Amino acid sequence: MSENHPLIPIRKAVIPAAGFGTRMFPATKAIKKEFFPIVDRQGRAKPVILEIVEEAIAAGIEEIGIIVQERDRALFESFFHKPPYTELDAKLKPQHQEYDQYLLELGQKVTLITQDKANGFGYAVYCAKDWVNHEPFLLLLGDHIYTSFIDKNCVSQLLSVYQHLGISTIGMRVSPAHEIHHYGCIVGQWQAMDAVLGITEIYEKPTIEYAQQNLRVRGMGHNEFLSVFGLYILTPAIFDCLSHNISQNQREDNEFQLTSCLEQVRQTEGMMGYLVKGRCFDVGLPDVYRQTMIDFRQV
Ligand code: G1P
């Protein structure tokens, strides 16, 4: 970056949490998937959404916008902005009361943004446009949690790479062929082997056949592909594209998708991938959630 154009630091993070969690039905009939419990490295039981918020705040993010359905607002409000109800509060051990104080302080950094229609992932991100207000921002998913293999947490790693590169950067991981129909897949040329990739295409949920013919990346095993890790640093250009698709009612599978807009921003501004030194747990899938309960604390 030229000294005349210093990078705007990333201050805001957006977490879409307005999905229905259909893959976790019927559990999601009783509880939002963002509130499924996990056990963290300290042995504390906490909802998934808290782990995600803490990861972002620990990396220096100052404000978090969570996109929620109107009907779930009270639930998120009560978790992030209110003390426990009186009878529970009275029974909490001192260390839990202390933790709740910290929770309320953390909650001051959380803004709830309503998604008015269930119109897909791209539409959810678009709902944060006014709150983000023309800054580059971090996008996390409401059902992905992370552990890092190095001292820096996964969000910090991505922020550092963005500070260095200065363009939209997507966290990546290696996925086996049989899983890629769940994920956005990424192709490109390594600029730093096994770390930074100049992206040449992002393709949403490919079949194995398509991936084997079109999504191979140098140095990867025969049955391995690069897929989305669930962390993105994006410039506000993403909102222009989403806004265009929404105003033109350009849907894919009846929804407004993020991936086609990522691909468009890549074509106009360029986009990098960073192979995160860490592990991502997609707790929106039953078997991954089960494994997360076992592995998350130990990794
Ligand atoms: C979304 C994205 C996809 C990404 C995935 C991660 O899909 O569109 O690119 O890999 O999240 O879970 P969804 O899970 O909303 O179908």
Side-chain angles (χ1 to χ4, degrees):
M1 288 298 289
S2 117
E3 282 182 18
N4 296 332
H5 299 285
L7 264 192
I8 304 173
I10 307 292
R11 298 186 315 108
K12 292 182 176 175
V14 171
I15 310 175
F20 291 98
T22 49
R23 285 176 286 210
M24 294 301 263
F25 189 82
T28 42
K29 190 178 175 189
I31 182 168
K32 289 284 302 173
K33 68 179 168 176
E34 290 79 12
F35 285 93
F36 282 8
I38 50 115
V39 177
D40 74 5
R41 281 164 291 257
Q42 286 72 42
R44 189 176 281 123
K46 61 164 70 148
V48 164
I49 189 74
L50 177 57
E51 180 63 33
I52 302 169
V53 166
E54 285 181 315
E55 165 102 19
I57 297 289
I61 293 292
E62 294 166 18
E63 295 177 56
I64 310 239
I66 306 183
I67 317 290
V68 300
Q69 291 184 35
E70 185 60 41
R71 65 156 68 87
D72 298 327
R73 233 190 137 84
L75 182 65
F76 284 86
E77 192 75 52
S78 140
F79 185 75
F80 282 110
H81 297 151
K82 299 202 175 122
Y85 56 90
T86 320
E87 296 88 331
L88 172 60
D89 202 20
K91 282 192 181 294
L92 288 178
K93 295 211 167 90
Q95 74 266 27
H96 284 151
Q97 286 186 347
E98 209 174 291
Y99 191 80
D100 196 58
Q101 269 313 312
Y102 147 84
L103 247 182
L104 288 171
E105 280 157 32
L106 197 71
Q108 288 174 10
K109 299 179 176 166
V110 172
T111 301
L112 301 177
I113 302 162
T114 302
Q115 180 174 343
D116 57 342
K117 290 186 215 103
N119 263 338
F121 181 34
Y123 189 82
V125 174
Y126 178 75
C127 291
K129 177 175 185 281
D130 292 344
W131 180 79
V132 167
N133 195 17
H134 308 293
E135 295 179 25
F137 65 102
L138 169 72
L139 173 67
L140 304 105
L141 302 178
D143 55 9
H144 281 42
I145 55 175
Y146 318 98
T147 53
S148 177
F149 299 151
I150 60 176
D151 281 347
K152 272 186 174 184
N153 82 11
C154 295
V155 169
S156 293
Q157 291 179 41
L158 197 69
L159 290 174
S160 301
V161 174
Y162 168 79
Q163 283 303 325
H164 190 65
L165 300 171
I167 59 172
S168 297
T169 308
I170 305 187
M172 306 183 301
R173 61 172 161 157
V174 176
S175 289
H178 68 271
E179 284 180 7
I180 54 173
H181 63 283
H182 291 301
Y183 300 117
C185 284
I186 297 168
V187 209
Q189 268 99 41
W190 292 113
Q191 306 216 336
M193 196 60 193
D194 289 342
V196 177
L197 187 89
I199 299 179
T200 54
E201 189 185 356
I202 309 163
Y203 192 94
E204 183 70 4
K205 303 191 176 81
T207 60
I208 295 185
E209 295 71 30
Y210 183 89
Q212 277 168 346
Q213 277 169 25
N214 302 287
L215 304 178
R216 296 222 151 278
V217 174
R218 191 163 58 90
M220 311 284 302
H222 180 68
N223 269 317
E224 289 178 341
F225 296 91
L226 292 173
S227 68
V228 162
F229 191 82
L231 295 176
Y232 314 71
I233 294 174
L234 301 173
T235 64
I238 196 76
F239 293 121
D240 300 335
C241 178
L242 288 167
S243 168
H244 174 266
N245 285 4
I246 291 165
S247 67
Q248 301 298 307
N249 201 23
Q250 274 179 27
R251 295 168 185 254
E252 295 152 79
D253 290 334
N254 203 32
E255 295 188 332
F256 298 110
Q257 298 294 345
L258 183 73
T259 300
S260 42
C261 286
L262 290 175
E263 178 56 23
Q264 209 165 311
V265 172
R266 180 197 71 74
Q267 285 169 23
T268 50
E269 293 187 343
M271 197 172 276
M272 292 292 187
Y274 167 66
L275 190 59
V276 182
K277 294 180 176 59
R279 181 167 164 192
C280 142
F281 298 82
D282 174 359
V283 294
L285 296 170
D287 278 330
V288 184
Y289 179 65
R290 181 182 67 83
Q291 200 62 45
T292 304
M293 293 300 275
I294 300 159
D295 290 352
F296 188 70
R297 190 170 176 194
Q298 293 161 0
V299 178

